[in-house]
Amino acid sequence: MHQYLKAIGFDHLKTKKELKEVLKDTEENFTSHEETASAEDGIFCEYRKEYSEDMGIILCGDCDGEKFEMEYYFPYLKGSGITSYEDIIVEKRIDREMYLGVCEDVRVGITLIFHLINGMEYKQMKNAGGVSKKTTSLTLSCMALSGSILLPIKKNDHQVQSQQEEARNRMLLLSAAKSGDEKAMETLTLDDMDTYSKVSKKLMTNDVYTIVDTYFMPYGAECDQYSILGEILKIRECRNERTAKELYVFTMDVNELQFDVCVPKDSVFGVPEVGRRFKANIWLQGMINFR
């Protein structure tokens, strides 16, 4: 059973029989259905059903005439807006017709690996002759099983402006280092050492979350799971149509990346408000926007 079904309101599923009922409902009462040719000269199918606005379950498998054999399923959240215009590399998993996206955005400083939501659309574009990198953008989204609300760090206008300028300078240095600039690499190394020294001293008398404003870092053994802390920009409340479970969808700003996070309302510790911070462990998804 996919553990992140709980993130979209299916926390009541305890047995395989209950899961099969939900998957059968997804297949029989689908919101959308698509087909494309597979590598084995067969037909690869996708059934998608929304159980709330912009979220639901996707079933993928092979079609043999009128018979559908499910290969895998996963819950999804369709994000809003554009997260990144950086180049995206798509890799197919070895064991199944499932895709992972890889994006290196200098604002984060790490390679982002995400589960591709619109793998069927990517497969169709690839079969039609390929995908042009110049005509794509990326919309990230993610799911969390629980999370905590933190108060924002108090800053004056000068501190905010100074932080934004430092972030821009670091982005320029990272871009230069990515292109092979040795001086930029050396400057980044010295800056990191200086930051580590300052933070180590402050941690002796301060809590880490009064120093660290936002972060985006890998979490656990899975390549598409991360731990995040960021500012809440928007809050949307919704409900799973089948289970009546109430959910939050936060639009977040994490390391200057903006994306949506879905989490069960009763699993959020604290009172969410715009401007406050949200901390959680997430499963990262993404959708390539073909234009």
Side-chain angles (χ1 to χ4, degrees):
M1 187 181 300
H2 202 293
Q3 63 172 324
Y4 283 95
L5 282 172
K6 296 179 181 179
I8 62 169
F10 289 102
D11 60 339
H12 70 290
L13 300 178
K14 305 297 181 185
T15 64
K16 288 185 177 180
K17 182 180 179 181
E18 291 174 334
L19 174 62
K20 286 180 180 179
E21 289 177 357
V22 172
L23 298 181
K24 185 179 180 181
D25 177 50
T26 302
E27 181 182 349
E28 294 179 350
N29 303 302
F30 57 85
T31 306
S32 63
H33 169 58
E34 294 187 63
E35 297 180 354
T36 190
S38 67
E40 293 76 19
D41 296 326
I43 302 297
F44 189 73
C45 302
E46 176 188 280
Y47 291 92
R48 182 182 300 229
K49 178 172 174 58
E50 284 193 356
Y51 285 96
S52 187
E53 184 181 353
D54 294 329
M55 69 177 73
I57 297 175
I58 293 177
L59 307 182
C60 295
D62 296 318
C63 291
D64 183 11
E66 295 182 356
K67 187 178 180 182
F68 171 70
E69 292 186 7
M70 186 186 71
E71 184 179 352
Y72 64 90
Y73 70 93
F74 63 91
Y76 75 92
L77 169 66
K78 184 180 178 181
S80 59
I82 303 296
T83 307
S84 177
Y85 289 96
E86 297 292 335
D87 291 342
I88 305 162
I89 300 172
V90 178
E91 297 288 346
K92 179 181 173 296
R93 285 187 180 271
I94 298 174
D95 57 337
R96 59 184 61 180
E97 199 76 19
M98 183 185 288
Y99 296 92
L100 290 174
V102 181
C103 178
E104 292 190 12
D105 197 301
V106 294
R107 291 172 292 182
V108 185
I110 60 173
T111 300
L112 294 176
I113 301 175
F114 57 90
H115 178 88
L116 187 63
I117 295 175
N118 58 335
M120 175 65 76
E121 187 179 6
Y122 170 79
K123 191 175 177 65
Q124 290 172 341
M125 294 286 289
K126 190 176 179 182
N127 290 343
V131 180
S132 173
K133 292 182 179 180
K134 294 181 180 179
T135 59
T136 58
S137 60
L138 173 65
T139 298
L140 290 177
S141 58
C142 57
M143 297 181 178
L145 300 178
S146 62
S148 302
I149 302 297
L150 279 67
L151 293 174
I153 296 176
K154 187 177 180 180
K155 304 173 189 173
N156 57 39
D157 293 340
H158 175 72
Q159 288 174 320
V160 172
Q161 186 176 354
S162 178
Q163 187 177 26
Q164 291 175 347
E165 187 175 342
E166 287 177 3
R168 284 194 295 269
N169 291 337
R170 183 171 177 81
M171 284 174 59
L172 292 173
L173 286 170
L174 285 168
S175 297
K178 191 177 177 181
S179 302
D181 190 328
E182 294 184 2
K183 189 175 180 180
M185 295 179 192
E186 184 180 347
T187 303
L188 284 169
T189 302
L190 292 173
D191 286 348
D192 287 342
M193 292 173 63
D194 186 45
T195 301
Y196 177 80
S197 177
K198 289 179 180 178
V199 170
S200 298
K201 290 178 181 178
K202 287 186 177 181
L203 282 175
M204 297 175 68
T205 56
N206 294 280
D207 182 82
V208 63
Y209 296 116
T210 64
I211 302 170
V212 179
D213 193 15
T214 178
Y215 63 73
F216 200 126
M217 59 186 185
Y219 173 81
E222 295 290 335
C223 61
D224 52 7
Q225 292 187 6
Y226 297 87
S227 180
I228 64 167
L229 171 65
E231 181 185 354
I232 300 175
L233 302 178
K234 294 180 183 177
I235 301 174
R236 176 167 64 89
E237 296 185 33
C238 54
R239 178 178 296 183
N240 186 306
E241 294 175 357
R242 184 181 176 93
T243 65
K245 183 80 171 181
E246 294 185 337
L247 310 166
Y248 280 131
V249 177
F250 299 140
T251 300
M252 303 279 297
D253 185 315
V254 183
N255 279 43
E256 297 189 12
L257 292 181
Q258 292 187 13
F259 53 85
D260 293 341
V261 182
C262 177
V263 60
K265 191 173 182 179
D266 59 7
S267 298
V268 176
F269 181 75
V271 180
E273 288 185 7
V274 173
R276 292 183 177 180
R277 294 179 294 167
F278 180 65
K279 172 181 172 290
N281 299 323
I282 56 104
W283 176 41
L284 189 64
Q285 300 181 333
M287 183 174 68
I288 301 175
N289 304 304
F290 301 101
R291 297 178 296 164

